[in-house]
């Protein structure tokens, strides 16, 4: 399978022995295959192994660092898709599970099921450009019910130094790693579960990270009057001519067209940058309005902000493709480090499929997507 070997070559040096090197490639081949279920047993059978022992050793006991492989995969993605106008997206997804022994599992809300279910939850960072999009980082969420019970943690191979961290903490850590690795990007976006947290909204600014973060209508911002106001109050006061009908990009059913408007916020302005609340109003039901808090270069066009906001859905496409075509949620593992190993190899497989798609687009003549240039 031409191309998959190229991804594998990026991190093959992380394995000291030939068996795990070969097993990692066999595992990724199985992940991108047409197998209905992709676990150590089915992938081993496809690879011609009598038993899944070699692949289970790869995931459980072989000596390799999943974080180092993640870094190699991220470098591969940047080499293929790198764009200074790229968008980083933070979001989480659920993995439905049975039992109580898998690291981090408990009854908790997951968007995968749309309700509270017994599940694990992973926080992810996606890299999005006009050419393509894929996942470049991941963290497993450990509820306090786990981190407060060190014996339970040890049974799932969770190191004692791993303490409770919120999904916001995960988001910050993953963005910090992208910055440290000099990943080229211009914007950060996330849904309201992240954007409503003021600690995350204020955090990127000093790091020079421009963002368009969704937030709840009741969330407050400081306006030019130096008073806290719910964001929906700002939209009510906007004049009719402030609203512009625009598409924020193509979706599964065509262009996603809304009415958009923005209002300046923050009385204390920094030179060269501005802050806005961005409102997105449904053209079918004008009472349905979504809100974003924006930090951007001064004179940034409205079209640029809404294009970044429109990118948010792209990470859902990453989750769907990674689960359906790369076995992201097909694993049957319980240990903490094994989760990271499987997820990282699945991300590597997804990066490969993304590059294949990019090459296919280059051979055709696709319509370019909306630019997210900061000017």
């Amino acid at each position: 399978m031409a191309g998959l070997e190229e991804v594998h070559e990026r991190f093959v040096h992380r394995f000291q022995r030939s068996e795990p090197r070969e097993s990692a490639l066999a595992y990724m081949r199985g992940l991108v295959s047409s197998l209905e279920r992709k676990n150590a047993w089915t992938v081993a059978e496809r690879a011609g192994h009598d038993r899944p022992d070699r692949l289970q050793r790869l995931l459980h006991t072989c000596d390799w660092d999943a974080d180092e492989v993640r870094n190699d995969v991220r470098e591969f993605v940047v080499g293929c898709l790198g764009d200074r106008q790229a968008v980083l997206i933070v979001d989480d997804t659920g993995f439905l599970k049975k039992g109580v022994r898998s690291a981090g599992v408990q009854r908790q809300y997951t968007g995968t099921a749309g309700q509270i279910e017994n599940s694990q939850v992973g926080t992810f960072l996606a890299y999005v450009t006009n050419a393509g999009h894929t996942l470049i980082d991941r963290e497993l969420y450990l509820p306090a019910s786990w981190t407060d019970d060190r014996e339970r943690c040890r049974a799932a191979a969770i190191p004692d130094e791993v303490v409770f961290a919120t999904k916001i903490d995960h988001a910050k850590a993953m963005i910090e790693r992208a910055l440290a690795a000099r990943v080229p990007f211009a914007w950060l976006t996330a849904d309201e579960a992240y954007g409503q947290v003021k600690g995350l909204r204020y955090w990127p600014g000093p790091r020079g990270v421009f963002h368009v973060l969704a937030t709840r209508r009741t969330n407050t911002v400081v306006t030019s009057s130096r008073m806290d106001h719910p964001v929906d109050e700002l939209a009510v006061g906007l004049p009719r001519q402030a609203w512009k009908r625009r598409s924020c990009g193509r979706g599964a059913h065509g262009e996603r067209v809304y009415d958009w408007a923005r209002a300046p916020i923050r009385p204390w302005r920094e030179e060269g940058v501005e802050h806005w609340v961005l409102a997105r109003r449904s053209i079918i039901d004008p009472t349905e309005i979504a809100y974003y808090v924006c930090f951007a270069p001064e004179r940034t066009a409205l079209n640029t902000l809404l294009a970044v906001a429109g990118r948010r859905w792209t990470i859902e496409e990453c989750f769907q493709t990674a689960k359906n075509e790369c076995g992201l949620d097909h694993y049957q593992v319980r240990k903490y480090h094994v989760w990271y190993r499987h997820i990282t190899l699945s991300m590597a497989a997804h990066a490969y499929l993304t590059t294949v798609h990019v090459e296919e687009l280059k051979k055709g003549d696709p319509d370019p997507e909306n630019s997210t240039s900061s000017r």
Side-chain angles (χ1 to χ4, degrees):
M1 188 175 292
L4 194 59
E5 291 82 359
E6 183 181 352
V7 183
H8 177 253
E9 188 64 29
R10 292 299 183 102
F11 59 81
V12 71
H13 62 287
R14 303 299 183 184
F15 305 100
Q16 300 302 313
R17 297 170 48 245
S18 61
E19 180 186 301
R21 293 174 198 158
E22 296 165 0
S23 295
L25 182 56
Y27 196 72
M28 288 196 297
R29 283 174 172 160
L31 290 177
V32 298
S33 72
S34 58
L35 289 170
E36 183 176 352
R37 294 299 300 172
K38 300 168 182 179
N39 53 53
W41 283 89
T42 59
V43 172
E45 182 178 353
R46 182 188 180 280
H49 302 172
D50 293 333
R51 296 182 56 79
D53 300 28
R54 291 178 61 179
L55 298 185
Q56 289 177 337
R57 281 197 296 272
L58 169 72
L59 295 178
H60 288 80
T61 61
C62 285
D63 183 16
W64 61 283
D65 189 324
D67 286 349
E68 291 178 344
V69 173
R70 172 207 59 204
N71 295 345
D72 295 330
V73 172
R74 182 182 60 214
E75 184 178 314
F76 170 79
V77 170
V78 170
C80 295
L81 303 179
D83 185 343
R84 294 188 181 278
Q85 296 303 319
V87 179
L88 294 183
I89 309 174
V90 176
D91 202 0
D92 52 82
T93 189
F95 304 91
L96 304 183
K97 293 294 169 184
K98 297 179 181 179
V100 297
R101 291 191 287 176
S102 297
V105 71
Q106 73 168 22
R107 287 186 57 78
Q108 55 192 320
Y109 179 82
T110 168
T112 302
Q115 59 187 13
I116 294 175
E117 291 284 357
N118 201 58
S119 61
Q120 293 170 299
V121 172
T123 314
F124 289 82
L125 186 69
Y127 188 72
V128 181
T129 71
N130 286 341
H133 44 270
T134 191
L135 304 170
I136 61 169
D137 210 340
R138 74 288 178 266
E139 289 288 354
L140 176 62
Y141 174 67
L142 297 176
S145 63
W146 273 82
T147 55
D148 289 345
D149 186 344
R150 298 320 302 185
E151 288 303 316
R152 189 184 188 193
C153 285
R154 293 182 189 115
I158 300 171
D160 286 347
E161 61 268 23
V162 175
V163 297
F164 177 73
T166 67
K167 295 165 192 173
I168 300 300
D169 293 331
H170 288 170
K172 292 178 180 178
M174 293 189 293
I175 297 164
E176 286 278 23
R177 288 196 287 262
L179 290 169
R182 299 185 181 277
V183 173
F185 71 97
W187 299 95
L188 168 70
T189 189
D191 68 16
E192 62 183 29
Y194 294 85
Q196 70 173 328
V197 180
K198 293 182 180 180
L200 181 63
R201 294 211 305 261
Y202 297 149
W203 178 85
R207 292 161 177 80
V209 177
F210 299 124
H211 56 264
V212 179
L213 298 171
T215 191
R216 300 187 190 279
R217 65 180 183 82
T218 55
N219 209 261
T220 61
V221 293
V222 179
T223 65
S224 56
S225 63
R226 303 191 180 188
M227 299 288 289
D228 261 356
H229 288 277
V231 293
D232 61 349
E233 289 184 4
L234 301 183
V236 170
L238 291 172
R240 182 178 60 82
Q241 60 268 28
W243 294 90
K244 308 297 180 183
R245 187 157 296 183
R246 300 283 189 273
S247 169
C248 61
R250 292 186 62 83
H253 305 290
E255 297 292 336
R256 299 194 300 269
V257 179
Y258 300 92
D259 289 330
W260 299 83
R262 60 179 167 177
I265 56 174
R266 299 279 184 92
W268 305 279
R269 300 296 177 85
E270 305 164 57
E271 185 177 355
V273 298
E274 294 191 29
H275 302 261
W276 291 279
V277 163
L278 176 67
R280 187 197 75 205
R281 187 175 68 192
S282 168
I283 61 176
I284 298 174
D285 179 4
T287 65
E288 184 181 311
I289 306 177
Y291 301 93
Y292 305 82
V293 177
C294 309
F295 169 64
E298 63 181 353
R299 295 188 296 276
T300 296
L302 175 65
N303 281 359
T304 297
L305 298 179
L306 64 90
V308 175
R311 293 289 204 190
R312 215 289 305 170
W313 289 280
T314 310
I315 195 169
E316 301 293 348
E317 297 177 11
C318 290
F319 291 149
Q320 182 178 6
T321 304
K323 289 181 177 182
N324 292 344
E325 300 182 28
C326 304
L328 188 74
D329 61 344
H330 289 201
Y331 59 88
Q332 296 177 335
V333 302
R334 291 175 176 169
K335 305 296 186 183
Y336 181 75
H337 71 286
V338 184
W339 184 89
Y340 278 94
R341 289 181 170 191
H342 167 81
I343 295 296
T344 302
L345 292 175
S346 179
M347 286 167 49
H350 188 258
Y352 155 70
L353 289 186
T354 299
T355 60
V356 170
H357 181 62
V358 169
E359 289 303 315
E360 289 175 349
L361 291 179
K362 287 180 179 178
K363 294 175 183 178
D365 186 23
D367 292 331
E369 296 183 15
N370 289 337
S371 172
T372 55
S373 170
S374 61
R375 290 288 188 271

